Amino acid sequence: MSAATTRSRTPDRLCAEAVDLARAAAEEAAAPGVVGEHAGLVSEGDRVVTHFFECKEPGYRGWRWAATVARASRAKIVTLDEVVLLPGPDALLAPEWVPWSERLRPGDLGPGDLLPTDQEDLRLEPGYTGEEEPPPNSVLSGEIAELAEAEDADVTPGTPAVQQTVPARGSIAALAEELGLRRARVLSRYGLHVAADRWEDAFGPKTPMAQAAPATCVSCGFLTPIGGSLGQAFGVCANEFSPADGHVVSLGYGCGGHSEAAVMPKPPQPPAPVIDETRVDPFPLRPSRDSGSVPATGDDETAELGHS
């Protein structure tokens, strides 16, 4: 270790003793009554020392006022260098700033909000741009030119974004619009994989609902197919009683609302009543005398008992 290094790590005596000068500078820079006790010092170099004072400012717990003093070589007078407020080892710090694009989460977008997409968004790739057209000297290019001349069509250069809203009939832009290629940007392979992973996590075969389901969505009558490459693994649920109603679900997902989970039998219907209209059943107007539980008696017996 050299002598210069040893000197720089040892605080200068005069600078270390200039506590009053450092405190006065800190109190002048801070509000009254917020500079606390002396909290130590550190050597910044040859004849350069920083004094630390506790900060009593509300909301700045663990922060320290740092007053740096120095003196010239062979000089007896110590002068002030700078005063700053610095966080200590246990200071209360604000969380690290995160850009809004990284703080955004699904569901944060509300009515009237605009979410601009980055020009270099990895989830998107250019749509039809005309860059894949064959070179002018190729055979295919000549055939296209002859076809356009025979059809009396105008070939408009440039991307669909800079062309007119309604492309001329027979132009490349009209053909691109008919094939669904008129969008300026489409999903890239990365964007497809990210969307598929997100849908798998929400409504995939590894969810608790799918694990307890009697069957998968691939055999469910409520599954509505979707087009494109994602249609080979996903569909849209159309069962209003399912927890995934209106959501994109994996073909391996399932729930208790499967169309073939339990076919309920029809309730039994009683037979229709049979009415015989060809037979008449006689019904007496008065009950017979021997139909009751008490035997019938004559008038003489009744008279003996005093009944009229």
Side-chain angles (χ1 to χ4, degrees):
M1 183 179 296
S2 62
T5 305
T6 305
R7 266 198 320 271
S8 62
R9 291 186 177 181
T10 302
D12 183 75
R13 183 179 60 84
L14 295 179
C15 292
E17 294 175 354
V19 178
D20 296 338
L21 174 64
R23 176 182 292 276
E27 291 178 349
E28 182 180 356
V34 299
V35 179
E37 300 295 331
H38 188 260
L41 56 89
V42 63
S43 175
E44 304 289 355
D46 291 342
R47 296 177 299 279
V48 180
V49 174
T50 298
H51 294 269
F52 296 102
F53 300 91
E54 296 179 357
C55 179
K56 297 183 179 181
E57 183 78 18
Y60 285 85
R61 186 187 65 192
W63 287 65
R64 301 177 300 181
W65 287 99
T68 302
V69 296
R71 70 178 181 89
S73 178
R74 299 180 181 178
K76 301 294 184 180
I77 300 176
V78 178
T79 57
L80 178 67
D81 190 356
E82 62 178 355
V83 177
V84 293
L85 183 61
L86 299 177
D90 56 345
L92 180 63
L93 301 176
E96 184 179 357
W97 182 81
V98 180
W100 69 267
S101 57
E102 299 180 12
R103 297 196 307 266
L104 195 65
R105 293 293 179 266
D108 292 347
L109 195 65
D113 296 338
L114 296 179
L115 178 60
T117 55
D118 190 4
Q119 185 69 22
E120 303 297 333
D121 196 328
L122 297 178
R123 300 172 299 172
L124 300 173
E125 64 183 9
Y128 173 76
T129 60
E131 296 179 356
E132 298 180 358
E133 293 183 358
N137 58 349
S138 66
V139 179
L140 184 59
S141 177
E143 294 177 356
I144 293 179
E146 294 176 2
L147 180 61
E149 183 178 358
E151 296 290 339
D152 193 18
D154 296 330
V155 180
T156 305
T159 62
V162 300
Q163 296 176 6
Q164 56 184 349
T165 305
V166 181
R169 183 179 180 181
S171 64
I172 295 181
L175 179 61
E177 183 176 11
E178 183 178 354
L179 297 178
L181 303 176
R182 189 167 170 79
R183 293 176 295 172
R185 290 192 292 177
V186 296
L187 274 177
S188 63
R189 183 173 297 273
Y190 172 76
L192 290 174
H193 284 296
V194 170
D197 293 341
R198 187 171 60 251
W199 297 341
E200 282 279 351
D201 294 339
F203 299 100
K206 295 183 179 180
T207 58
M209 180 67 72
Q211 295 292 330
T216 59
C217 292
V218 69
S219 60
C220 182
F222 294 107
L223 181 72
T224 302
I226 61 176
S229 59
L230 291 176
Q232 302 177 7
F234 297 95
V236 178
C237 179
N239 187 357
E240 60 178 326
F241 300 106
S242 172
D245 179 38
H247 293 81
V248 179
V249 297
S250 171
L251 298 183
Y253 181 74
C255 67
H258 195 280
S259 61
E260 310 303 325
V263 180
M264 299 179 61
K266 295 182 179 180
Q269 297 291 337
V274 179
I275 301 177
D276 188 0
E277 299 179 352
T278 61
R279 179 181 176 182
V280 178
D281 296 330
F283 292 95
L285 296 178
R286 296 183 180 84
S288 60
R289 290 180 174 272
D290 57 351
S291 62
S293 59
V294 179
T297 58
D299 295 339
D300 297 340
E301 297 177 358
T302 306
E304 294 178 356
L305 297 176
H307 296 286
S308 58

